[in-house]
Structure formats: structure tokens, C-alpha cells
Coordinates of all heavy atoms in Angstrom, one line a residue:
R1096 N 0.8 -1.2 0.0 CA 0.0 0.0 0.0 C 0.9 1.3 0.0 O 0.6 2.2 -0.7 CB -0.9 -0.1 1.2 CG -1.8 1.1 1.4 CD -2.8 0.8 2.6 NE -2.8 2.0 3.3 CZ -3.6 2.1 4.4 NH1 -4.2 1.1 4.8 NH2 -3.7 3.2 5.0
Y1097 N 1.9 1.3 0.9 CA 2.8 2.5 0.9 C 3.7 2.5 -0.3 O 4.1 3.6 -0.7 CB 3.5 2.4 2.2 CG 2.8 2.7 3.5 CD1 2.6 1.6 4.4 CD2 2.1 3.9 3.7 CE1 1.8 1.8 5.5 CE2 1.3 4.1 4.8 CZ 1.2 3.0 5.7 OH 0.4 3.3 6.8
F1098 N 4.0 1.4 -0.8 CA 4.9 1.3 -2.0 C 4.2 2.0 -3.2 O 4.9 2.8 -3.9 CB 5.1 -0.2 -2.4 CG 6.0 -0.3 -3.6 CD1 7.3 -0.1 -3.6 CD2 5.4 -0.7 -4.8 CE1 8.2 -0.2 -4.7 CE2 6.2 -0.8 -6.0 CZ 7.6 -0.6 -5.9
F1099 N 3.0 1.9 -3.4 CA 2.2 2.6 -4.4 C 2.3 4.1 -4.2 O 2.5 4.9 -5.2 CB 0.8 2.1 -4.5 CG 0.0 2.7 -5.7 CD1 0.3 2.3 -7.0 CD2 -1.1 3.6 -5.5 CE1 -0.4 2.8 -8.0 CE2 -1.7 4.1 -6.5 CZ -1.4 3.7 -7.8
V1100 N 2.1 4.6 -3.1 CA 2.1 6.1 -2.7 C 3.5 6.6 -3.0 O 3.7 7.7 -3.6 CB 1.7 6.3 -1.3 CG1 1.9 7.8 -0.9 CG2 0.2 5.9 -1.2
I1101 N 4.5 5.9 -2.5 CA 5.9 6.3 -2.7 C 6.3 6.3 -4.2 O 7.0 7.2 -4.7 CB 6.9 5.3 -1.9 CG1 6.7 5.6 -0.4 CG2 8.4 5.6 -2.4 CD1 7.4 4.6 0.4
F1102 N 5.8 5.3 -5.0 CA 6.0 5.3 -6.4 C 5.4 6.5 -7.1 O 6.0 7.2 -7.9 CB 5.4 4.0 -7.0 CG 5.6 3.9 -8.4 CD1 6.8 3.7 -9.1 CD2 4.5 4.1 -9.3 CE1 6.9 3.6 -10.5 CE2 4.5 4.1 -10.6 CZ 5.8 3.8 -11.2
L1103 N 4.2 6.9 -6.7 CA 3.5 8.0 -7.4 C 4.2 9.3 -7.0 O 4.4 10.2 -7.9 CB 2.0 8.1 -6.9 CG 1.1 7.0 -7.6 CD1 -0.3 7.2 -7.0 CD2 1.1 7.1 -9.0
I1104 N 4.6 9.5 -5.8 CA 5.3 10.7 -5.4 C 6.7 10.8 -6.1 O 7.0 11.9 -6.6 CB 5.5 10.7 -3.9 CG1 4.1 10.9 -3.2 CG2 6.5 11.9 -3.4 CD1 4.2 10.8 -1.7
S1105 N 7.4 9.7 -6.2 CA 8.7 9.7 -6.9 C 8.5 10.0 -8.4 O 9.3 10.8 -9.0 CB 9.3 8.3 -6.8 OG 9.6 8.0 -5.5
L1106 N 7.4 9.5 -9.0 CA 7.2 9.7 -10.4 C 6.9 11.2 -10.6 O 7.4 11.9 -11.6 CB 6.1 8.9 -10.9 CG 5.7 9.0 -12.4 CD1 6.8 8.6 -13.3 CD2 4.5 8.2 -12.7
A1107 N 6.0 11.8 -9.7 CA 5.7 13.2 -9.9 C 6.9 14.1 -9.7 O 7.1 15.1 -10.4 CB 4.6 13.5 -8.8
L1108 N 7.8 13.8 -8.7 CA 9.0 14.5 -8.6 C 9.9 14.4 -9.8 O 10.5 15.4 -10.2 CB 9.7 14.1 -7.3 CG 9.1 14.4 -6.0 CD1 9.8 13.8 -4.8 CD2 9.0 15.9 -5.8
F1109 N 10.0 13.2 -10.3 CA 10.9 13.0 -11.5 C 10.4 13.8 -12.7 O 11.2 14.4 -13.4 CB 10.9 11.5 -11.9 CG 11.6 11.2 -13.1 CD1 13.0 11.2 -13.1 CD2 11.0 10.9 -14.2 CE1 13.7 10.9 -14.2 CE2 11.7 10.6 -15.4 CZ 13.1 10.6 -15.4
L1110 N 9.1 13.9 -12.9 CA 8.6 14.7 -14.0 C 8.6 16.2 -13.8 O 8.7 16.9 -14.8 CB 7.2 14.2 -14.4 CG 7.1 12.8 -14.9 CD1 5.7 12.4 -15.1 CD2 7.9 12.7 -16.2
F1111 N 8.3 16.7 -12.6 CA 8.1 18.1 -12.4 C 9.1 18.9 -11.8 O 9.2 20.2 -11.9 CB 6.8 18.3 -11.7 CG 5.6 17.8 -12.4 CD1 4.9 16.7 -12.0 CD2 5.1 18.5 -13.6 CE1 3.8 16.2 -12.7 CE2 4.1 18.1 -14.3 CZ 3.4 17.0 -13.9
I1112 N 10.2 18.3 -11.1 CA 11.3 19.1 -10.6 C 12.1 19.8 -11.6 O 12.5 20.9 -11.5 CB 12.1 18.2 -9.7 CG1 11.4 18.1 -8.3 CG2 13.5 18.8 -9.4 CD1 12.1 17.4 -7.2
P1113 N 12.5 19.1 -12.8 CA 13.2 19.8 -13.8 C 12.5 21.1 -14.4 O 13.2 21.9 -15.0 CB 13.4 18.7 -14.9 CG 13.3 17.4 -14.2 CD 12.3 17.7 -13.1
K1114 N 11.3 21.2 -14.2 CA 10.6 22.4 -14.7 C 11.1 23.6 -13.9 O 11.0 24.7 -14.5 CB 9.1 22.2 -14.5 CG 8.3 23.3 -15.2 CD 6.9 22.7 -15.3 CE 6.1 23.7 -16.2 NZ 6.2 23.6 -17.6
F1115 N 11.6 23.5 -12.7 CA 12.0 24.6 -11.9 C 13.5 24.9 -12.1 O 14.0 25.8 -11.5 CB 11.7 24.3 -10.5 CG 10.3 24.2 -10.2 CD1 9.8 22.9 -9.9 CD2 9.4 25.2 -10.3 CE1 8.4 22.7 -9.7 CE2 8.0 25.1 -10.0 CZ 7.6 23.8 -9.8
F1116 N 14.2 24.1 -12.9 CA 15.7 24.4 -13.2 C 15.8 25.6 -14.1 O 15.0 25.9 -14.9 CB 16.3 23.2 -13.9 CG 16.5 22.0 -13.0 CD1 16.7 20.7 -13.5 CD2 16.4 22.1 -11.6 CE1 16.9 19.7 -12.8 CE2 16.6 21.0 -10.8 CZ 16.8 19.7 -11.4
D1117 N 16.9 26.3 -13.9 CA 17.2 27.5 -14.8 C 18.1 27.0 -15.9 O 19.3 26.7 -15.7 CB 17.9 28.6 -14.0 CG 18.2 29.8 -14.8 OD1 17.6 29.9 -15.9 OD2 19.0 30.6 -14.3
N1118 N 17.5 26.8 -17.1 CA 18.2 26.2 -18.2 C 19.2 27.2 -18.8 O 20.0 26.8 -19.6 CB 17.2 25.7 -19.3 CG 16.5 24.5 -18.8 OD1 17.0 23.6 -18.2 ND2 15.2 24.5 -18.9
K1119 N 19.1 28.5 -18.5 CA 20.1 29.4 -19.0 C 21.4 29.2 -18.4 O 22.5 29.4 -19.0 CB 19.6 30.9 -18.7 CG 18.4 31.3 -19.4 CD 18.7 31.8 -20.8 CE 17.5 32.3 -21.4 NZ 17.7 32.8 -22.8
K1120 N 21.5 28.7 -17.2 CA 22.8 28.4 -16.5 C 23.4 27.2 -17.2 O 24.7 27.2 -17.2 CB 22.6 28.0 -15.0 CG 22.1 29.2 -14.2 CD 22.0 28.8 -12.8 CE 21.5 29.9 -11.9 NZ 21.3 29.5 -10.5
N1121 N 22.8 26.3 -17.8 CA 23.3 25.2 -18.4 C 23.4 25.3 -19.9 O 23.4 24.4 -20.7 CB 22.4 23.9 -18.2 CG 22.3 23.6 -16.7 OD1 23.3 23.8 -16.0 ND2 21.2 23.1 -16.3
E1122 N 23.6 26.6 -20.4 CA 23.6 26.9 -21.8 C 24.8 26.2 -22.5 O 24.6 25.6 -23.6 CB 23.7 28.4 -21.9 CG 23.6 28.8 -23.4 CD 23.7 30.3 -23.5 OE1 23.6 31.0 -22.5 OE2 23.8 30.8 -24.7
D1123 N 25.9 26.1 -21.9 CA 27.1 25.5 -22.5 C 26.8 24.0 -22.7 O 27.3 23.4 -23.7 CB 28.3 25.8 -21.7 CG 28.7 27.3 -21.7 OD1 28.4 27.9 -22.6 OD2 29.4 27.7 -20.7
V1124 N 26.3 23.4 -21.7 CA 26.0 21.9 -21.7 C 25.0 21.6 -22.8 O 25.2 20.6 -23.6 CB 25.5 21.5 -20.3 CG1 25.1 20.0 -20.4 CG2 26.5 21.6 -19.3
L1125 N 24.0 22.4 -22.9 CA 23.0 22.2 -24.0 C 23.6 22.4 -25.4 O 23.3 21.6 -26.3 CB 21.8 23.2 -23.8 CG 21.0 22.9 -22.6 CD1 20.0 24.1 -22.4 CD2 20.3 21.7 -22.6
K1126 N 24.5 23.4 -25.5 CA 25.1 23.7 -26.8 C 26.0 22.5 -27.2 O 26.0 22.1 -28.3 CB 25.9 25.0 -26.8 CG 25.0 26.2 -26.9 CD 25.9 27.5 -26.9 CE 25.0 28.7 -27.0 NZ 25.8 30.0 -27.2
D1127 N 26.8 22.1 -26.2 CA 27.7 20.9 -26.5 C 26.9 19.6 -26.9 O 27.3 18.9 -27.8 CB 28.6 20.6 -25.3 CG 29.6 21.7 -25.1 OD1 29.9 22.4 -26.0 OD2 30.2 21.8 -24.0
H1128 N 25.8 19.5 -26.2 CA 24.9 18.3 -26.5 C 24.4 18.3 -27.9 O 24.4 17.3 -28.6 CB 23.8 18.1 -25.4 CG 22.9 17.0 -25.7 ND1 23.3 15.7 -25.5 CD2 21.7 16.9 -26.2 CE1 22.3 14.9 -25.8 NE2 21.3 15.6 -26.2
L1129 N 23.9 19.5 -28.3 CA 23.3 19.7 -29.6 C 24.5 19.5 -30.7 O 24.2 18.9 -31.8 CB 22.7 21.0 -29.8 CG 21.4 21.2 -29.3 CD1 21.0 22.7 -29.3 CD2 20.4 20.4 -30.0
L1130 N 25.6 20.0 -30.4 CA 26.8 19.9 -31.3 C 27.2 18.4 -31.5 O 27.4 17.9 -32.6 CB 27.9 20.7 -30.9 CG 29.0 20.9 -31.9 CD1 28.5 21.6 -33.2 CD2 30.1 21.8 -31.2
Q1131 N 27.3 17.7 -30.4 CA 27.9 16.4 -30.5 C 26.8 15.3 -31.0 O 27.2 14.5 -31.7 CB 28.3 15.9 -29.1 CG 29.6 16.6 -28.6 CD 30.0 16.3 -27.1 OE1 29.3 15.5 -26.5 NE2 31.0 16.9 -26.7
K1132 N 25.6 15.4 -30.5 CA 24.6 14.4 -30.9 C 23.9 14.7 -32.2 O 23.6 13.8 -32.9 CB 23.6 14.3 -29.8 CG 22.6 13.1 -29.9 CD 21.9 12.8 -28.7 CE 21.1 11.6 -29.0 NZ 20.4 11.1 -27.8
Y1133 N 23.7 16.0 -32.5 CA 22.9 16.3 -33.7 C 23.7 17.1 -34.7 O 23.1 17.5 -35.7 CB 21.7 17.1 -33.3 CG 20.7 16.4 -32.3 CD1 20.7 16.7 -31.0 CD2 19.9 15.4 -32.8 CE1 19.8 16.1 -30.1 CE2 19.1 14.7 -31.9 CZ 19.1 15.1 -30.6 OH 18.3 14.4 -29.7
S1134 N 24.9 17.5 -34.5 CA 25.8 18.3 -35.4 C 25.2 19.6 -35.7 O 25.2 20.1 -36.8 CB 26.0 17.5 -36.7 OG 26.8 16.4 -36.4
L1135 N 24.6 20.2 -34.6 CA 23.9 21.5 -34.8 C 24.6 22.5 -33.8 O 24.7 22.2 -32.7 CB 22.4 21.5 -34.5 CG 21.6 20.7 -35.4 CD1 20.1 20.6 -34.9 CD2 21.5 21.4 -36.8
K1136 N 25.0 23.6 -34.3 CA 25.5 24.7 -33.5 C 24.4 25.7 -33.2 O 23.9 26.3 -34.1 CB 26.7 25.3 -34.2 CG 27.4 26.3 -33.4 CD 28.7 26.8 -34.1 CE 29.4 27.8 -33.2 NZ 30.6 28.3 -33.8
L1137 N 24.2 25.9 -31.9 CA 23.1 26.7 -31.4 C 23.7 28.1 -31.4 O 24.6 28.4 -30.6 CB 22.6 26.3 -30.1 CG 21.5 27.1 -29.5 CD1 20.2 27.0 -30.4 CD2 21.2 26.6 -28.1
I1138 N 23.2 29.0 -32.3 CA 23.8 30.4 -32.3 C 23.0 31.3 -31.4 O 23.5 32.1 -30.7 CB 23.8 30.9 -33.8 CG1 24.7 30.0 -34.6 CG2 24.2 32.3 -33.9 CD1 24.7 30.3 -36.1
Y1139 N 21.7 31.2 -31.5 CA 20.8 32.2 -30.7 C 19.5 31.4 -30.4 O 19.0 30.6 -31.2 CB 20.5 33.4 -31.6 CG 19.4 34.3 -30.9 CD1 19.7 35.1 -29.9 CD2 18.1 34.2 -31.4 CE1 18.8 35.9 -29.3 CE2 17.1 35.0 -30.9 CZ 17.4 35.9 -29.8 OH 16.5 36.6 -29.2
Y1140 N 19.0 31.7 -29.2 CA 17.6 31.3 -28.9 C 17.1 32.3 -27.9 O 17.7 32.9 -27.1 CB 17.6 29.9 -28.3 CG 18.2 29.7 -27.0 CD1 17.6 29.8 -25.8 CD2 19.6 29.4 -26.9 CE1 18.2 29.6 -24.6 CE2 20.2 29.3 -25.7 CZ 19.5 29.4 -24.6 OH 20.1 29.2 -23.4
K1141 N 15.7 32.5 -28.0 CA 15.1 33.5 -27.2 C 14.7 32.9 -25.8 O 15.0 33.5 -24.8 CB 13.8 33.9 -27.8 CG 13.1 35.0 -27.2 CD 11.9 35.5 -28.0 CE 11.2 36.7 -27.3 NZ 10.1 37.2 -28.1
D1142 N 14.2 31.7 -25.8 CA 13.8 31.0 -24.5 C 13.9 29.5 -24.6 O 13.8 28.9 -25.7 CB 12.4 31.4 -24.2 CG 11.9 31.1 -22.8 OD1 12.8 31.0 -21.9 OD2 10.7 31.0 -22.6
V1143 N 14.1 28.8 -23.5 CA 14.1 27.4 -23.4 C 13.2 27.0 -22.3 O 13.2 27.6 -21.2 CB 15.5 26.8 -23.3 CG1 16.2 27.3 -22.1 CG2 15.5 25.3 -23.4
K1144 N 12.3 26.0 -22.5 CA 11.4 25.5 -21.5 C 11.5 24.0 -21.4 O 11.7 23.3 -22.5 CB 10.0 26.0 -21.8 CG 9.8 27.4 -21.7 CD 8.3 27.8 -22.0 CE 8.1 29.3 -21.9 NZ 6.7 29.7 -22.2
F1145 N 11.2 23.5 -20.2 CA 11.1 22.1 -20.0 C 9.6 21.7 -20.0 O 8.8 22.3 -19.3 CB 11.7 21.6 -18.7 CG 11.6 20.2 -18.4 CD1 12.4 19.3 -19.0 CD2 10.6 19.8 -17.5 CE1 12.2 17.9 -18.8 CE2 10.5 18.4 -17.2 CZ 11.3 17.5 -17.9
I1146 N 9.2 20.7 -20.9 CA 7.8 20.3 -21.0 C 7.9 18.8 -20.5 O 8.6 18.0 -21.0 CB 7.3 20.3 -22.4 CG1 7.6 21.7 -23.1 CG2 5.9 19.8 -22.5 CD1 6.7 22.7 -22.4
S1147 N 7.1 18.5 -19.4 CA 7.2 17.2 -18.8 C 6.2 16.2 -19.4 O 6.5 15.0 -19.3 CB 7.0 17.3 -17.3 OG 5.8 17.9 -17.0
L1148 N 5.1 16.6 -19.8 CA 4.0 15.7 -20.3 C 3.7 16.0 -21.7 O 3.7 17.1 -22.1 CB 2.8 15.8 -19.4 CG 3.0 15.3 -18.0 CD1 1.7 15.5 -17.2 CD2 3.4 13.9 -17.9
P1149 N 3.4 15.1 -22.6 CA 3.3 13.7 -22.4 C 4.6 12.9 -22.4 O 4.8 11.8 -21.8 CB 2.5 13.2 -23.6 CG 2.8 14.2 -24.7 CD 3.0 15.5 -23.9
R1150 N 5.7 13.5 -23.0 CA 7.0 13.0 -22.9 C 8.0 14.1 -22.4 O 7.9 15.2 -22.9 CB 7.6 12.5 -24.2 CG 7.1 11.0 -24.4 CD 7.5 10.5 -25.8 NE 8.9 10.7 -26.1 CZ 9.5 10.5 -27.3 NH1 8.7 10.0 -28.3 NH2 10.7 10.7 -27.5
P1151 N 8.9 13.9 -21.5 CA 9.8 15.0 -21.1 C 10.7 15.4 -22.2 O 11.2 14.6 -23.0 CB 10.7 14.3 -20.0 CG 9.9 13.1 -19.5 CD 9.1 12.7 -20.7
R1152 N 10.8 16.7 -22.4 CA 11.6 17.3 -23.5 C 11.9 18.7 -23.2 O 11.3 19.4 -22.4 CB 10.9 17.2 -24.8 CG 9.6 18.0 -25.0 CD 8.9 17.6 -26.2 NE 7.6 18.3 -26.2 CZ 6.5 17.9 -25.6 NH1 6.5 16.7 -25.0 NH2 5.4 18.6 -25.7
L1153 N 13.0 19.3 -23.9 CA 13.3 20.7 -23.9 C 12.8 21.3 -25.1 O 12.9 20.7 -26.2 CB 14.7 20.9 -23.7 CG 15.4 20.6 -22.4 CD1 16.9 20.7 -22.5 CD2 14.9 21.5 -21.3
E1154 N 12.2 22.5 -25.1 CA 11.8 23.2 -26.3 C 12.5 24.6 -26.3 O 12.5 25.3 -25.3 CB 10.3 23.4 -26.3 CG 9.5 22.2 -26.5 CD 8.0 22.4 -26.7 OE1 7.6 23.6 -26.4 OE2 7.3 21.5 -27.1
F1155 N 13.1 24.8 -27.4 CA 13.8 26.1 -27.7 C 12.9 26.9 -28.6 O 12.4 26.5 -29.5 CB 15.1 25.9 -28.4 CG 16.2 25.1 -27.6 CD1 16.2 23.8 -27.6 CD2 17.1 25.8 -26.8 CE1 17.2 23.1 -26.8 CE2 18.0 25.2 -26.1 CZ 18.1 23.8 -26.1
Y1156 N 12.8 28.2 -28.3 CA 11.9 29.1 -29.0 C 12.8 30.2 -29.7 O 13.7 30.7 -29.1 CB 10.9 29.8 -28.0 CG 9.9 28.8 -27.5 CD1 10.2 28.2 -26.3 CD2 8.8 28.5 -28.1 CE1 9.3 27.3 -25.7 CE2 7.9 27.6 -27.6 CZ 8.2 27.0 -26.4 OH 7.3 26.1 -25.9
D1157 N 12.3 30.5 -30.9 CA 13.0 31.5 -31.8 C 14.4 31.2 -31.9 O 15.3 32.0 -31.4 CB 12.7 32.9 -31.2 CG 13.1 34.0 -32.1 OD1 13.1 33.8 -33.4 OD2 13.1 35.2 -31.8
V1158 N 14.7 30.2 -32.6 CA 16.1 29.6 -32.6 C 16.8 29.9 -33.9 O 16.2 29.9 -35.0 CB 16.0 28.0 -32.5 CG1 17.4 27.4 -32.5 CG2 15.3 27.7 -31.2
T1159 N 18.1 30.1 -33.8 CA 19.0 30.2 -35.0 C 20.1 29.1 -34.8 O 20.8 29.1 -33.9 CB 19.7 31.6 -35.2 OG1 18.7 32.6 -35.2 CG2 20.5 31.6 -36.4
L1160 N 20.1 28.1 -35.8 CA 21.0 27.0 -35.8 C 21.9 27.1 -36.9 O 21.5 27.6 -38.0 CB 20.2 25.7 -35.7 CG 19.3 25.4 -34.6 CD1 18.4 24.2 -34.9 CD2 20.1 25.1 -33.3
K1161 N 23.0 26.4 -36.8 CA 23.9 26.3 -37.9 C 24.4 24.8 -38.0 O 24.7 24.2 -37.0 CB 25.2 27.2 -37.8 CG 26.2 27.1 -38.9 CD 27.4 28.0 -38.7 CE 28.3 27.9 -39.8 NZ 29.5 28.7 -39.6
L1162 N 24.3 24.3 -39.2 CA 24.8 22.9 -39.4 C 26.3 22.9 -39.2 O 27.0 23.8 -39.7 CB 24.4 22.3 -40.8 CG 22.9 22.1 -41.0 CD1 22.6 21.8 -42.4 CD2 22.4 21.1 -40.1
Q1163 N 26.9 21.9 -38.6 CA 28.3 22.0 -38.3 C 29.2 22.0 -39.5 O 30.2 22.7 -39.5 CB 28.7 20.7 -37.4 CG 30.0 20.7 -36.9 CD 30.3 19.5 -36.0 OE1 29.6 18.6 -35.9 NE2 31.5 19.5 -35.3
D1164 N 28.9 21.1 -40.5 CA 29.8 21.0 -41.6 C 29.4 21.8 -42.8 O 30.2 21.9 -43.8 CB 29.9 19.5 -42.0 CG 30.5 18.7 -40.9 OD1 31.4 19.2 -40.1 OD2 30.2 17.5 -40.8
N1165 N 28.3 22.4 -42.8 CA 27.7 23.2 -43.9 C 27.5 24.6 -43.5 O 27.3 24.9 -42.4 CB 26.4 22.6 -44.4 CG 26.5 21.2 -44.9 OD1 27.6 20.8 -45.4 ND2 25.5 20.4 -44.6
P1166 N 27.6 25.5 -44.5 CA 27.5 26.9 -44.2 C 26.0 27.3 -44.2 O 25.6 28.4 -44.7 CB 28.2 27.6 -45.2 CG 28.2 26.7 -46.4 CD 28.2 25.3 -45.8
I1167 N 25.1 26.5 -43.8 CA 23.7 26.7 -43.8 C 23.2 27.1 -42.4 O 23.4 26.5 -41.4 CB 22.9 25.4 -44.2 CG1 23.3 25.0 -45.6 CG2 21.4 25.7 -44.2 CD1 22.8 23.7 -46.1
N1168 N 22.5 28.3 -42.4 CA 21.9 28.7 -41.1 C 20.4 28.5 -41.1 O 19.8 28.7 -42.2 CB 22.1 30.2 -40.9 CG 23.5 30.5 -40.5 OD1 24.3 29.7 -40.1 ND2 23.9 31.8 -40.7
L1169 N 19.9 28.0 -40.1 CA 18.4 27.7 -40.0 C 17.8 28.6 -38.9 O 18.3 28.7 -37.8 CB 18.2 26.3 -39.5 CG 18.9 25.2 -40.3 CD1 18.8 23.8 -39.6 CD2 18.3 25.0 -41.7
K1170 N 16.7 29.3 -39.3 CA 16.0 30.1 -38.3 C 14.6 29.5 -38.2 O 14.0 29.2 -39.2 CB 15.9 31.6 -38.8 CG 17.2 32.3 -38.8 CD 17.1 33.8 -39.1 CE 18.5 34.4 -39.1 NZ 18.4 35.8 -39.4
T1171 N 14.1 29.4 -37.0 CA 12.8 28.9 -36.8 C 12.0 29.8 -36.0 O 12.5 30.5 -35.2 CB 12.8 27.5 -36.1 OG1 13.4 27.7 -34.8 CG2 13.7 26.6 -36.8
K1172 N 10.7 29.8 -36.2 CA 9.7 30.5 -35.4 C 9.0 29.5 -34.5 O 8.5 29.9 -33.4 CB 8.7 31.2 -36.3 CG 9.3 32.3 -37.1 CD 9.8 33.5 -36.2 CE 10.5 34.5 -37.0 NZ 11.0 35.5 -36.2
K1173 N 8.8 28.3 -35.0 CA 8.2 27.3 -34.1 C 9.2 26.6 -33.2 O 10.4 26.7 -33.5 CB 7.6 26.1 -35.0 CG 6.4 26.6 -35.8 CD 5.8 25.5 -36.5 CE 4.6 26.0 -37.3 NZ 3.8 24.9 -37.9
P1174 N 8.8 26.1 -32.1 CA 9.8 25.6 -31.1 C 10.5 24.4 -31.7 O 10.0 23.5 -32.4 CB 8.9 25.1 -29.9 CG 7.5 25.2 -30.3 CD 7.4 26.0 -31.6
V1175 N 11.8 24.3 -31.3 CA 12.7 23.1 -31.6 C 12.7 22.3 -30.4 O 13.0 22.7 -29.3 CB 14.1 23.6 -32.0 CG1 15.0 22.4 -32.1 CG2 14.1 24.5 -33.2
R1176 N 12.3 21.0 -30.6 CA 12.1 20.1 -29.5 C 13.3 19.2 -29.4 O 13.7 18.5 -30.3 CB 10.9 19.2 -29.6 CG 9.7 20.1 -29.5 CD 8.4 19.3 -29.6 NE 7.3 20.2 -29.4 CZ 6.2 20.2 -30.1 NH1 6.1 19.3 -31.1 NH2 5.2 21.0 -29.8
L1177 N 13.9 19.1 -28.2 CA 15.1 18.3 -27.9 C 14.6 17.1 -27.0 O 14.2 17.4 -25.9 CB 16.2 19.0 -27.2 CG 17.5 18.3 -26.9 CD1 18.1 17.7 -28.2 CD2 18.4 19.2 -26.2
K1178 N 14.5 15.9 -27.5 CA 13.9 14.7 -26.7 C 15.1 13.9 -26.1 O 16.2 13.9 -26.6 CB 13.1 13.9 -27.7 CG 11.9 14.6 -28.2 CD 11.1 13.7 -29.1 CE 9.9 14.5 -29.7 NZ 9.2 13.7 -30.6

């Protein structure tokens, strides 16, 4: 009986605590992750938000990206989702 309550509390904490993190402080880590995993260089973004449901992800708003090996710049108005 208590196991179920502990499980639900742990799940809620796992999903909603990252929403309170300041992602601007981790800007270098996010840029390195995008560069290494997706070969995208993050030049500019207006805002970054953590969305917990239905799947946890980061969304970048008003983004300017550059492909690592190509001289192509990408500008988006819709959010870029990092899963």
C-alpha cells in the first residue's frame, strides 16, 4: 500500500522538478549536447522551456541554428524540441 504512494510521489517529482531548473545556466552543456549528438551549432535562442508531459523534452523558442559541416543557417519560429 505504501509502495504505491511512494512510487506516485517519486514519479511526480521526477517529472516536475526539472521544470524549476534554470536552463540558462546550463547553456554550455545544451550547446555541446546539440553539437555532439545532432551536429547543430546553437547560435541564438530566445527562450528554453522544459515540458514534462506527455514526454519529457526541452523546447527552444525563436532559434537560429547552424549545421556543423555546412554553411547553412536555420531560423525557426516554431519551437525546436530536444527529446
Side-chain angles (χ1 to χ4, degrees):
R1096 179 174 137 179
Y1097 294 112
F1098 180 74
F1099 185 68
V1100 172
I1101 292 172
F1102 176 75
L1103 287 178
I1104 291 172
S1105 299
L1106 182 63
L1108 289 175
F1109 176 74
L1110 289 175
F1111 294 109
I1112 282 183
K1114 191 162 188 79
F1115 300 108
F1116 291 161
D1117 184 15
N1118 292 314
K1119 294 277 186 181
K1120 290 181 182 177
N1121 299 327
E1122 183 176 354
D1123 294 333
V1124 174
L1125 294 172
K1126 284 183 176 183
D1127 288 340
H1128 180 72
L1129 282 172
L1130 189 61
Q1131 291 174 1
K1132 190 163 183 173
Y1133 301 105
S1134 297
L1135 292 172
K1136 185 174 182 180
L1137 184 63
I1138 297 172
Y1139 170 80
Y1140 66 94
K1141 187 175 183 179
D1142 192 23
V1143 60
K1144 291 184 182 178
F1145 178 77
I1146 308 295
S1147 58
L1148 295 174
R1150 277 178 48 188
R1152 64 189 176 274
L1153 287 174
E1154 288 187 350
F1155 294 89
Y1156 294 91
D1157 196 15
V1158 178
T1159 302
L1160 297 167
K1161 181 178 179 183
L1162 295 173
Q1163 185 179 12
D1164 298 331
N1165 297 330
I1167 298 173
N1168 287 341
L1169 307 169
K1170 291 185 180 182
T1171 65
K1172 294 293 179 187
K1173 293 188 178 186
V1175 174
R1176 294 183 176 134
L1177 182 61
K1178 297 179 183 180

